[in-house]
Amino acid sequence: MPRILVIGSSNTDMVVKTSRFPQPGETIIGGEFFLFPGGKGANQAVAAARMGGQVDLIAKVGQDIFGQQAIEGFAHEGINVAYVMSDPKLASGVALITVDVSGENEIVVAPGANAALMPSDLERDDAAFAEADLVLMQLETPLETLLHAAQKAHALQKKFVLNPAPAQDLPAELYPLLFLITPNETEASLLTGIELDNEAALPKIAEALLKKGVANVIITLGAKGAYFHNASQQFRIPAPKVQAVDTTAAGDVFNGALAVALAEGMDWPQAIDMACRAGAIAVTRMGAQASAPFREEL
């Protein structure tokens, strides 16, 4: 089994289904309410575990019911929780999510203990880095912790994959440490300043990221699949056509599945195809971690 180290956030998602999103200052009556385990780090860890990876998770939760439930859920998924910390002062992270009839979503996150995952917290986790085949991270924890983790992985010659979500500017010194970056269309435009208004812009954006020092670039395109670009090849892999009900964790499932595929030694087309198929299944289900498919479903 490939060993994946995921570093990132753990949240509890509070989801309301609605016919449409409210305008500023407007109150509307929604439909069903759901409570799901979430957080980009936790979602990707669960997705990787269900794809057959041996997953270690470094995260921080609060000493509250949400934190307890999160740790129990990770253990149930077969994730190693030895590196999941409990903060005595901060609440666990929560996300407020509205999902409309087409499956699109709007999300507001209160980070809680996620914001307290600091570089010093990684110093006791040397074994997790040493044993990993691949390290996967996102942007729902402090930027200084991301940079420290990337430096640590680079020193050990470990493949470091960054899913740059939610979108924000990144320090220049981070890019050369990345084996792979996986922005969606919005994030890719923000990182490069190039508008992605048509597919002709994809190579320009990818080349701009490569010039920053990244070794490989995947731009996820939702229902249109994913675009790959590195120094020697570029191509697009289509996504299966499905009826979406909730796109909340599509990117997280894509990244978790991709991490396992790459750690198993698949080539780029095989790995991206597997990730696209996993993401396509995820959008046909409600919830974040709950929507992640198992390997046999592919």
Side-chain angles (χ1 to χ4, degrees), residues 51-92:
M51 285 292 111
Q54 187 175 348
V55 179
D56 297 307
L57 174 63
I58 298 176
K60 187 172 280 191
V61 298
Q63 292 183 355
D64 49 33
I65 186 63
F66 290 150
Q68 294 170 21
Q69 289 175 340
I71 292 173
E72 290 170 3
F74 302 147
H76 178 73
E77 296 286 349
I79 295 168
N80 179 20
V81 297
Y83 307 112
V84 179
M85 295 155 271
S86 294
D87 191 294
K89 297 179 180 178
L90 295 171
S92 297

Side-chain angles (χ1 to χ4, degrees), residues 22 31 48 67 100 112 144 180 232 246 261 297:
D100 73 5
E144 59 190 297
L180 169 66
S232 60
D246 182 7
E297 293 182 78

